[in-house]
Amino acid sequence: MYSSTNKNLGGRHKDPVWGFFTEISSESGKITGQECKECGQIVSSRALRMKKHTQTCSVIQSKAEASKRVLSSDSEDDVPLQQHIIRSRSSSTTSASPSTSSSSISVKKQISTPSTSGSKNFLQPKILSHVITTTTTQADQLDLDVARYMFSCNVPFSHVEKFYFQKLLNNLRLGYKPPTRQKLATKLLDTIHNEVVTEASDYLSGKMVTVVQDGWSTIHNDPVVANCISTGDKTFFLSAIDTGANHKTSEYCLTLALDANKEAKIKFNCSGRSFVSDNENKMVKLRDLIKNDLSEFQGGDFFIIYGCAAHYLNFLGTDISKLNSINKLINQIIEVQKYFRNHHVAKGYL
């Protein structure tokens, strides 16, 4: 029942369609259906079924059309269909009992358009305001952030599937599922690699750089040669070559240096104007080979070739330590260190 005293109550308002039906209950008090007040047809007690009936009921539709014609002179053609029906029923029952008239009027007020001034409008709250959702765009950005962390810290990709790592991410962002290690090793790795190459290209384009070459052996004693390029402010990794069955000679290293210089020009649009390497015997010979033929390297009026200064200082320290006086001093220092290492009381005083 609608009541004129229940104004602006919170919660969901009852649909006006209920005003067209009379409730039918069994002897036990259970609601079994709704009877149309116009045609007497019984329908289910569901608002959707009741609305569908009002759209097909010939009596209701005929009254609605008549109401539209009456109200057209008042410029109210845009009033909803059900509101026309309610007003028609209200005007036709003015001679009824006060309670019936009051009920009709209250229904009319219930479905009328709320006024922007005066009474308050109670809106139904949405569930989305109480739920944390992660859109596809946000999930993709989070995947990239996780990938950058993994790559920059050299963390094994399998860590993304560890229980506590997933729990951490879930606590930080409910509903977010981190990428699998397969996605890290394929799609995300390619995406981050392309971003890094683009950033390096933007920084190095048109600049003069130094080509740096160094070599070492892996834990399996396989020789590796790495090439970098440096502007003096920043250093960028260029390539790493597993020599495989090739002998690591000065001629082979020269070929790798020439390839590195060409790659820097093509990939980053920069010009190599100097070359530096360590001071191993074959690398010293490599620098001599470059001096004898600068046509492949020289990209301008000058080209500088020099050895690694830190490696020179390392050689200098080795030679100084071979002097008798210095060697004796070093042995004494070692003995002092051993004493404090092996005596916990003396070590505790430190």
Side-chain angles (χ1 to χ4, degrees), residues 21 24 67 85 103 141 161 195 209 243:
F21 295 87
I24 300 177
S67 178
I85 300 173
S103 176
Q141 184 59 47
E161 298 178 353
E195 288 182 1
V209 297
T243 60

Side-chain angles (χ1 to χ4, degrees), residues 132-187:
I132 297 177
T133 59
T134 302
T135 64
T136 303
T137 303
Q138 291 173 332
D140 292 341
Q141 184 59 47
L142 290 172
D143 287 348
L144 291 175
D145 292 338
V146 172
R148 290 188 184 94
Y149 166 76
M150 292 289 179
F151 302 153
S152 62
C153 297
N154 199 25
V155 178
F157 295 167
S158 60
H159 280 203
V160 295
E161 298 178 353
K162 300 296 184 182
F163 171 77
Y164 286 108
F165 183 78
Q166 293 185 347
K167 183 178 179 181
L168 169 65
L169 294 183
N170 188 61
N171 289 336
L172 293 175
R173 183 75 184 187
L174 293 176
Y176 169 65
K177 185 178 180 180
T180 62
R181 57 182 177 180
Q182 288 80 9
K183 187 176 181 180
L184 277 175
T186 53
K187 179 181 177 181

